[in-house]
Amino acid sequence: MSLLEVQNLEVSFVTRNGTNKAVDGISFSVDTGKITAIIGESGSGKSVACYSLLGLVPRPPGRIDGGRALFEGRDLLQLEERQLREIRGRDIAMIFQDPMTCLNPYMTIGKQLMEPLRYHRKVSREAARARALELLEEVGIRDPASTIDNFPHQFSGGMRQRVMIAMALINEPKLLIADEPTTALDVTIQAQILKLIAELQHKRDIGVIFISHDLAVVADIADTIVVMKQGKVVETGDRAAIFQHARDPYTKKLLAAIPTDSKPPQALQPEPLITVRNLCTWFDQGRGSEPVKAVNDVSFDIHRGEVLGLVGESGSGKSTIGRSILRLVPVTSGNVNFDGTDLTALQGRELKQMRRRMQMIFQDPFASLNPRMTVYDTLAEPLLLHRIENRKTVGQAVLKLMDDVGLARAFVRKYPHEFSGGQRQRIAIGRALATRPEFVVADEPVSALDVTIQAQILDLMQALGREYGLTMLFVSHDLAVVRHLADRIMVLYHGEVVEQGSGEELFTHPQQAYTRQLLQSIPGRSLLA
Amino acid sequence: MTSQQTIVDISQAEQGTSLWHDAWLRLRRNRLAVLGLVVLVLFTAIALLTPWIAPYSYQAQNLELGASPPSAAHWLGTDIFGRDLLTQIMYGGRISLAVGFVATSVALLIGVTWGAIAGYVGGRTDAVMMRLVDILYALPFMIFIVLLSVVFGRNMLLLFLAIGAVEWLTMARIMRGQVQSLRQQEFVEAAISLGLSPATLIRRHLVPNALGPIIVYTTLTIPNVMLLEAFLSFLGLGIQPPQTSWGLLISYGAETMEEYPWLLIFPGLALAITLFSLNFLGDGLRDALDVRGAKD
Amino acid sequence: MWRFIGIRLLQAIPVILVVITVTFFLVRMAPGGPFDSEKPVTREVKAALEAQYKLDLPLYQQYFSYLGDLAHGDLGPSFKYSGRSVNELIAAGFPVTAELGLYALLVALGIGCLAGIAAALRPNTPQDYIPMSAAMIGICMPSFLLGPLLVLVFGIYLDWLPVSGWGDIPGDKILPSLTLGSAYAAYIARLSRAGMLEVLNQDYIRTARAKGLPQWQVVLKHSLRGGMIPVVAFLGPAFAGLLAGSFVVETIFQIPGLGRFYVQAAFNRDYTMILGTTVFLSVLIVLFNLLSDILAAWMNPRLRAQYGK
């Protein structure tokens, strides 16, 4: 018998605007010693389903409409809050997505760790502390004895997630629910945390539900995979079955969205469009403290028509390089030469003229559009500003842009909040291309989007890049995406270039230790050909 | 031909709903806020029209009548000089509302300009400007206003300005916070990378997005200012006879409340209803515009 | 932490200096001198009086001489009550005001926090609406209106409580404390509701629930500290407001406190008294602001650590 058997679970949210079925009759099971992954895009109901098992969905507006969830022979959905509380944190524990917000900032981690033990098992303070120290050691916190009385803000994101894991495991639960536990982390840290979860699960022989939006993340660790879409399970199978013989079209679409190929090499034009020499961008930290050297002595060329991929983890300075070239942040020293003009020396009118030739696509489609301007206003602004169109012709040009980026013309009077993330990113791309620029910086343009949408936007960018003859600096933390899109890749670490080369070279013969570490951290590496 | 076709195309487009429109729809569903708005419009209209619609002359005394309870001739009764209370309240309302609006406008003007400059320019300018605000913040305002009223007491206009000049600090902080957080938003960066001039950037991208919290806070500043005026007038340090305000009427009413309670209750009601309306409207706007509460 | 306190203390010095300077010159700008009132005095007497109070010196000399006296804690003689110094008058009035303020603060904190937390625990239910409507009434019912109304109802119609005085008849402290405290109880109720709601929506509260902790532990151990920080930070401004509110309450209930002295001094143009009281109250308010800031910072481990080094 399975450890947890969920049958026909139905959950809905009752709001003023009607009832919304979040989970629509799903069934799955989790076995002791196995990892069941639940995969789905945002809004698929994967998290709601798991939260509802433990009574963690606020009611109202949440409502459980039906189904059973048998855990060790008891139906969780029928239990009283008191009985559920005894199970929560003792028999079933959870890890959440964002370790920055999931730990109480006002309590030391030691206190938080000991809490489940003290509450459920009535262990003495000394014994609980000893156990907490053991677990911190086990999850890889260095020197637990001196850090146990620290507050969460004194730990990095990866370390906090380790603390969360220790807290979840302290009562030796039988089932662990991990809700996107690595999504907020850098790739190398993600790889470490995934490894840790798999190890601990194996050692303790517990069941795990691993919730994720990313099939690649669970490719190495899941035993069973449940694919959800719009509140329903579309396909269930073991890992091999899903990855090799997926039957459902949606699963196939998810699989196809994982970029696995490398862009075929093309001959570069000899003359670079952009040359960057000894670029330094430092940020002052106020009197007395060292400036943050976000970009430190970086030199490289981008050739006309080339897509240069810029890879690095958070804080590596990859976004700052793009912004420095575009003069969106003040450059400390160095030169940026754009088609014979030194950009760092430009001022006023001359700079405005150059801005027409270089544009940027931003990461967050929710923040990159002015919420008070319609699509028409947003797209017309650059056209009118640079006198590319006049008041009479601008309407037609806007509609043409909408066609180009794949937005229905009927939406031209709508506001950003009426669109989905993918559609918004299309608007943002349209705005960047409106002036027909030669050079575009794309700063993580797809990392805020669902995987299937990601693939669509990447395709669009590739097609438009060809059509407009764009030179592009593509900034991303995702090596697989960059390899798929870029002609050359540059690896950045702590503001300095570690290694550069074609995607093929980098993947097959990485020269630097850091590059190798990055490559090994790519989730679902086995999928990459 | 092309421009013709464009017009057709665009006119066939689905009309979007702007955030302002959304907010208006949300506000309309909030009954208390709508009620507040209606009451305020009504009170403002009455205040504007008072010289023409007041039932009695402001000065008219009837010493024979003296203080009389509400009756058919005097709906809200009369004061000890036999003056019609309704008329008094209407004239008092003119002053009280005027104080509220004028002083708040002063605060709005100074605060928004100050905050916008500090937030937009940033750096050392910002540090100096906000340091000044911090210092002023630490000053004991109420005590200062009492002091100011001693100095300027006979001059209504100066009193308004003084109150406004004290109330602008929070406005400046809110505006600065708004501008600062907006400046870091990607859409502002996008506008800069398009090559927009600072003036256009502020007008098209910053101001419309900073407006929500400012509107909400303005609505909530007016009752504060009105309270302040009433407080001063109650102490006898604000409005001087022969002019009157709600605070002054309440003060007189409190002196004789044992014998003539209506003289306290009706002006009190007028003030309380106005304050209620403004607060309900402010809260409603806060929810409708989805503004997070100001820290203080 | 000590560094934080040190920095804030240093920052308080210019504030206090600004207060003294602005007050001093503002008072001198006021029309009408202290000896213009009531019975006219002869020119010689007036000159003698002005010499006695150093009013014949150039303004800047008066200013520096005042600063010098102030440095010794001497606030000068009262213009109005000849023979009594401002120090004496403050010493007589302040204990009463302080006691009134303390009771009002207790009323405000007790009622305010309880109502706010109760409302935040069950938002959008009667448990939320009822205290929050009461808070709205409290905010829209200023002390100068609430005070007379309370007197009318409890003092006159019901005749349960004395309507004036301080410490003369048992129970005469109840109405003034309630009157002064209620508006702040309303503010604190709204602040603590907002603070608690914000915290209760945080991810770490979900973590606490996922641990299986019962509701009361989630509230007491995990929410209260974060939720109460805005209330603590509000204590400084609340204190300033209470002092100003005491002007009104002391007038209504005829309590011989500092507030009433101050208002009378303002009427009488008792320069040194206005000046002295303003300086005294300002320093008090600045210090109390400092205290509440320090307390709020201390409650936040991140801030504590930042200034700890």
Side-chain angles (χ1 to χ4, degrees):
Chain A
M1 201 188 101
S2 303
L3 178 63
L4 173 72
E5 185 77 45
V6 175
Q7 295 161 350
N8 297 317
L9 176 65
E10 285 178 55
V11 185
S12 49
F13 286 99
V14 185
T15 64
R16 214 186 310 188
N17 301 325
T19 306
N20 172 19
K21 197 130 229 166
V23 178
D24 194 0
I26 67 162
S27 305
F28 64 89
S29 63
V30 186
D31 291 320
T32 298
K34 299 281 191 223
I35 297 183
T36 297
I38 303 183
I39 302 296
E41 293 181 304
S42 49
S44 61
K46 55 189 192 300
S47 297
V48 173
C50 293
Y51 288 8
S52 68
L53 298 180
L54 289 180
L56 289 177
V57 172
R59 285 182 281 185
R63 190 179 70 195
I64 294 177
D65 295 333
R68 298 204 299 167
L70 296 176
F71 176 76
E72 298 189 308
R74 288 204 286 177
D75 185 354
L76 293 176
L77 303 181
Q78 300 300 326
L79 294 182
E80 309 247 323
E81 170 65 19
R82 263 174 56 90
Q83 297 166 301
L84 260 182
R85 260 205 328 257
E86 278 169 24
I87 292 178
R88 283 207 298 257
R90 198 183 67 187
D91 299 322
I92 306 179
M94 289 195 76
I95 319 172
F96 301 96
Q97 174 170 351
D98 191 350
M100 308 312 264
T101 60
C102 283
L103 288 169
N104 188 336
Y106 302 110
M107 278 168 92
T108 64
I109 59 154
K111 273 207 178 122
Q112 295 186 60
L113 267 172
M114 286 148 64
E115 216 174 9
L117 210 53
R118 302 261 296 147
Y119 177 70
H120 288 290
R121 308 243 187 246
K122 311 280 178 249
V123 176
S124 76
R125 192 177 298 273
E126 291 72 29
R129 194 179 163 89
R131 183 82 189 104
L133 284 169
E134 270 172 44
L135 260 153
L136 283 175
E137 180 95 47
E138 193 178 345
V139 297
I141 301 280
R142 248 171 274 132
D143 195 12
S146 62
T147 49
I148 189 168
D149 293 320
N150 284 358
F151 287 94
H153 70 264
Q154 292 164 286
F155 293 84
S156 69
M159 287 297 144
R160 287 191 214 189
Q161 199 59 302
R162 285 171 194 266
V163 172
M164 276 298 290
I165 293 172
M167 198 158 80
L169 295 181
I170 202 160
N171 265 335
E172 304 292 337
K174 301 184 180 90
L175 177 67
L176 177 68
I177 301 177
D179 183 12
E180 306 251 13
T182 61
T183 308
L185 305 173
D186 271 328
V187 246
T188 49
I189 311 291
Q190 161 165 291
Q192 292 165 14
I193 297 288
L194 284 175
K195 196 164 150 240
L196 178 67
I197 291 177
E199 273 172 19
L200 292 172
Q201 178 264 336
H202 190 71
K203 198 162 107 192
R204 286 158 198 258
D205 205 28
I206 58 178
V208 173
I209 301 178
F210 194 104
I211 304 170
S212 179
H213 67 284
D214 189 352
L215 258 176
V217 167
V218 301
D220 300 327
I221 59 166
D223 296 293
T224 309
I225 295 176
V226 179
V227 181
M228 281 186 71
K229 185 193 178 191
Q230 289 168 4
K232 291 197 166 73
V233 171
V234 296
E235 188 165 5
T236 306
D238 62 29
R239 175 170 45 167
I242 293 285
F243 279 102
Q244 279 142 34
H245 316 286
R247 281 168 289 117
D248 184 80
Y250 180 70
T251 314
K252 287 181 183 160
K253 201 168 150 195
L254 282 181
L255 282 167
I258 304 173
T260 54
D261 59 338
S262 163
K263 187 172 179 183
Q266 61 170 27
L268 293 179
Q269 297 203 353
E271 276 300 296
L273 176 68
I274 292 173
T275 54
V276 176
R277 289 294 171 267
N278 309 104
L279 179 71
C280 291
T281 304
W282 297 355
F283 295 112
D284 264 346
Q285 289 290 88
R287 265 165 286 162
S289 41
E290 276 281 288
V292 174
K293 300 180 177 176
V295 178
N296 201 15
D297 196 19
V298 167
S299 303
F300 60 92
D301 296 340
I302 309 176
H303 295 263
R304 203 178 275 279
E306 182 189 32
V307 177
L308 177 66
L310 196 53
V311 184
E313 296 184 291
S314 55
S316 64
K318 57 187 191 303
S319 294
T320 310
I321 289 190
R323 286 178 161 81
S324 302
I325 297 176
L326 296 185
R327 290 279 312 271
L328 289 174
V329 291
V331 170
T332 309
S333 67
N335 284 317
V336 178
N337 205 301
F338 183 100
D339 199 16
T341 314
D342 184 4
L343 289 179
T344 54
L346 291 186
Q347 287 302 333
R349 176 171 294 276
E350 287 172 330
L351 181 61
K352 184 185 162 188
Q353 293 297 328
M354 282 309 274
R355 290 211 182 280
R356 180 179 169 175
R357 298 173 64 185
M358 47 187 205
Q359 281 297 308
M360 182 151 176
I361 300 167
F362 296 87
Q363 171 174 5
D364 184 356
F366 291 84
S368 69
L369 298 172
N370 184 337
R372 314 239 171 233
M373 279 164 70
T374 62
V375 179
Y376 179 86
D377 295 328
T378 299
L379 294 182
E381 186 169 52
L383 294 169
L384 294 173
L385 179 72
H386 289 286
R387 312 244 155 101
I388 296 167
E389 306 287 342
N390 60 37
R391 295 235 162 253
K392 275 196 188 128
T393 59
V394 70
Q396 193 57 35
V398 165
L399 293 178
K400 163 80 171 62
L401 267 176
M402 293 184 73
D403 294 343
D404 281 359
V405 297
L407 281 171
R409 289 184 164 204
F411 293 158
V412 68
R413 288 283 183 224
K414 291 209 172 270
Y415 289 85
H417 65 102
E418 300 174 271
F419 292 100
S420 69
Q423 287 171 317
R424 288 186 208 207
Q425 202 58 309
R426 286 173 192 270
I427 302 171
I429 292 173
R431 174 183 54 196
L433 298 183
T435 58
R436 295 220 151 237
E438 293 148 68
F439 173 63
V440 166
V441 175
D443 184 14
E444 303 256 14
V446 295
S447 59
L449 304 174
D450 274 330
V451 257
T452 52
I453 309 295
Q454 241 178 49
Q456 291 170 14
I457 297 293
L458 287 178
D459 286 348
L460 176 74
M461 286 179 63
Q462 269 189 314
L464 289 174
R466 274 194 300 274
E467 191 188 327
Y468 283 69
L470 283 179
T471 306
M472 202 186 304
L473 180 68
F474 189 93
V475 180
S476 178
H477 69 283
D478 189 337
L479 266 166
V481 166
V482 172
R483 184 172 77 137
H484 170 70
L485 212 75
D487 298 295
R488 270 187 319 133
I489 299 178
M490 210 158 74
V491 180
L492 216 61
Y493 184 67
H494 285 332
E496 294 176 22
V497 176
V498 176
E499 189 167 357
Q500 49 181 318
S502 76
E504 216 42 56
E505 279 166 26
L506 227 61
F507 270 68
T508 47
H509 306 292
Q511 299 298 311
Q512 302 293 325
Y514 179 68
T515 315
R516 276 196 287 277
Q517 195 194 343
L518 263 189
L519 289 171
Q520 272 156 16
S521 305
I522 299 178
R525 215 157 18 100
S526 53
L527 301 173
L528 302 181
Chain B
M1 178 223 118
T2 48
S3 69
Q4 279 296 334
Q5 194 191 340
T6 306
I7 290 162
V8 173
D9 271 338
I10 291 180
S11 68
Q12 282 170 348
E14 294 170 38
Q15 201 60 43
T17 46
S18 71
L19 290 180
W20 295 121
H21 189 68
D22 264 6
W24 172 240
L25 293 180
R26 273 197 294 275
L27 185 66
R28 267 199 347 207
R29 268 197 302 232
N30 184 339
R31 286 199 201 121
L32 283 175
V34 173
L35 189 69
L37 186 62
V38 171
V39 169
L40 285 175
V41 170
L42 193 72
F43 276 27
T44 312
I46 292 176
L48 288 174
L49 298 174
T50 294
W52 297 279
I53 60 171
Y56 291 86
S57 147
Y58 176 63
Q59 304 283 359
Q61 297 189 357
N62 186 344
L63 289 172
E64 275 172 43
L65 185 63
S68 67
S71 63
H74 299 277
W75 291 354
L76 302 185
T78 53
D79 69 5
I80 46 172
F81 301 110
R83 293 181 298 191
D84 181 58
L85 186 60
L86 179 60
T87 308
Q88 298 273 314
I89 289 177
M90 283 166 82
Y91 275 96
R94 275 164 78 85
I95 302 270
S96 290
L97 286 171
V99 171
F101 288 118
V102 173
T104 304
S105 307
V106 174
L108 193 67
L109 198 72
I110 305 179
V112 167
T113 318
W114 192 276
I117 293 174
Y120 188 80
V121 178
R124 188 150 298 179
T125 316
D126 174 45
V128 171
M129 288 176 88
M130 290 331 274
R131 205 61 225 118
L132 195 72
V133 170
D134 284 349
I135 289 179
L136 291 177
Y137 233 92
L139 297 181
F141 289 125
M142 291 290 242
I143 293 175
F144 251 66
I145 289 195
V146 172
L147 192 63
L148 285 174
S149 70
V150 174
V151 181
F152 299 127
R154 312 286 161 192
N155 191 329
M156 284 290 301
L157 187 69
L158 279 174
L159 186 63
F160 286 162
L161 292 179
I163 294 180
V166 186
E167 285 282 329
W168 64 274
L169 295 171
T170 312
M171 201 77 88
R173 278 193 172 174
I174 290 178
M175 188 64 191
R176 170 174 175 271
Q178 280 294 307
V179 171
Q180 268 197 335
S181 77
L182 284 172
R183 263 191 76 107
Q184 286 166 3
Q185 298 260 319
E186 289 178 344
F187 75 83
V188 173
E189 247 186 319
I192 295 172
S193 79
L194 286 179
L196 249 57
S197 65
T200 321
L201 184 80
I202 292 175
R203 186 169 48 81
R204 276 179 70 99
H205 293 276
L206 292 185
V207 171
N209 284 291
L211 225 48
I214 295 299
I215 292 176
V216 171
Y217 191 69
T218 304
T219 322
L220 296 174
T221 300
I222 299 175
N224 276 345
V225 173
M226 291 180 66
L227 264 179
L228 217 52
E229 178 275 319
F231 164 82
L232 284 180
S233 298
F234 180 86
L235 290 178
L237 297 167
I239 308 295
Q240 307 286 338
Q243 281 183 317
T244 193
S245 79
W246 289 342
L248 203 57
L249 289 173
I250 291 171
S251 160
Y252 292 150
E255 283 168 20
T256 55
M257 64 184 173
E258 215 166 322
E259 304 89 346
Y260 319 121
W262 62 91
L263 290 180
L264 171 67
I265 290 168
F266 290 121
L269 263 182
L271 180 67
I273 289 175
T274 311
L275 295 180
F276 265 118
S277 302
L278 279 162
N279 277 308
F280 279 137
L281 182 63
D283 279 3
L285 282 170
R286 193 201 301 262
D287 293 343
L289 293 165
D290 200 14
V291 174
R292 308 195 64 194
K295 273 230 172 105
D296 27 8
Chain C
M1 207 64 224
W2 290 111
R3 211 183 111 202
F4 177 71
I5 297 173
I7 291 172
R8 294 303 308 262
L9 271 174
L10 281 180
Q11 286 173 349
I13 292 172
V15 173
I16 291 171
L17 263 178
V18 168
V19 171
I20 296 171
T21 311
V22 171
T23 316
F24 182 87
F25 287 104
L26 263 181
V27 167
R28 292 302 144 100
M29 271 169 64
F35 311 117
D36 294 348
S37 55
E38 288 133 46
K39 47 183 192 251
V41 288
T42 62
R43 188 169 298 170
E44 293 76 37
V45 174
K46 193 173 171 184
L49 275 171
E50 286 186 342
Q52 187 195 336
Y53 290 108
K54 297 183 190 161
L55 288 176
D56 53 343
L57 295 176
L59 201 55
Y60 72 94
Q61 278 187 21
Q62 292 183 34
Y63 173 66
F64 284 111
S65 119
Y66 186 73
L67 276 189
D69 290 346
L70 205 59
H72 301 105
D74 180 9
L75 296 166
S78 163
F79 280 165
K80 196 70 192 174
Y81 306 98
S82 45
R84 298 192 66 183
S85 74
V86 175
N87 292 44
E88 283 169 26
L89 288 169
I90 290 179
F94 183 64
V96 175
T97 302
E99 194 186 350
L100 172 63
L102 178 72
Y103 294 153
L105 199 62
L106 290 180
V107 167
L109 278 175
I111 299 178
C113 290
L114 280 180
I117 294 169
L121 289 181
R122 295 195 196 284
N124 303 318
T125 62
Q127 191 178 325
D128 179 15
Y129 296 141
I130 293 170
M132 283 307 117
S133 309
M136 186 62 111
I137 294 174
I139 286 173
C140 296
M141 193 67 86
S143 53
F144 53 82
L145 186 53
L146 183 68
L149 286 179
L150 286 179
V151 169
L152 202 58
V153 175
F154 293 102
I156 296 170
Y157 292 155
L158 296 175
D159 201 14
W160 288 352
L161 291 166
V163 299
S164 68
W166 187 255
D168 307 329
I169 319 165
D172 63 359
K173 293 180 180 177
I174 295 178
L175 282 184
S177 307
L178 266 181
T179 305
L180 188 54
S182 67
Y184 293 90
Y187 276 112
I188 288 175
R190 299 186 76 172
L191 270 178
S192 53
R193 174 180 183 269
M196 287 299 283
L197 269 184
E198 165 132 17
V199 169
L200 286 171
N201 279 323
Q202 296 282 322
D203 287 345
Y204 64 80
I205 297 302
R206 190 182 55 191
T207 309
R209 286 197 215 285
K211 284 180 190 173
L213 298 183
Q215 176 76 6
W216 66 268
Q217 279 204 20
V218 172
V219 172
L220 277 186
K221 283 192 176 170
H222 288 269
S223 328
L224 215 51
R225 190 156 182 180
M228 286 300 116
I229 285 182
V231 174
V232 172
F234 176 67
L235 284 182
F239 178 77
L242 283 176
L243 278 183
S246 69
F247 300 177
V248 163
V249 173
E250 288 173 12
T251 305
I252 296 172
F253 293 95
Q254 288 157 27
I255 298 169
L258 196 54
R260 211 158 135 230
F261 286 173
Y262 186 60
V263 174
Q264 275 162 4
F267 270 124
N268 298 334
R269 307 196 174 285
D270 187 345
Y271 285 170
T272 41
M273 183 68 192
I274 297 175
L275 203 54
T277 320
T278 306
V279 169
F280 176 73
L281 291 180
S282 304
V283 171
L284 216 58
I285 288 171
V286 169
L287 289 181
F288 216 85
N289 265 326
L290 182 69
L291 207 67
S292 90
D293 274 8
I294 290 172
L295 206 58
W298 180 79
M299 282 171 74
N300 188 337
R302 186 180 294 230
L303 280 178
R304 208 188 317 167
Q306 196 177 326
Y307 293 101
K309 290 165 206 155

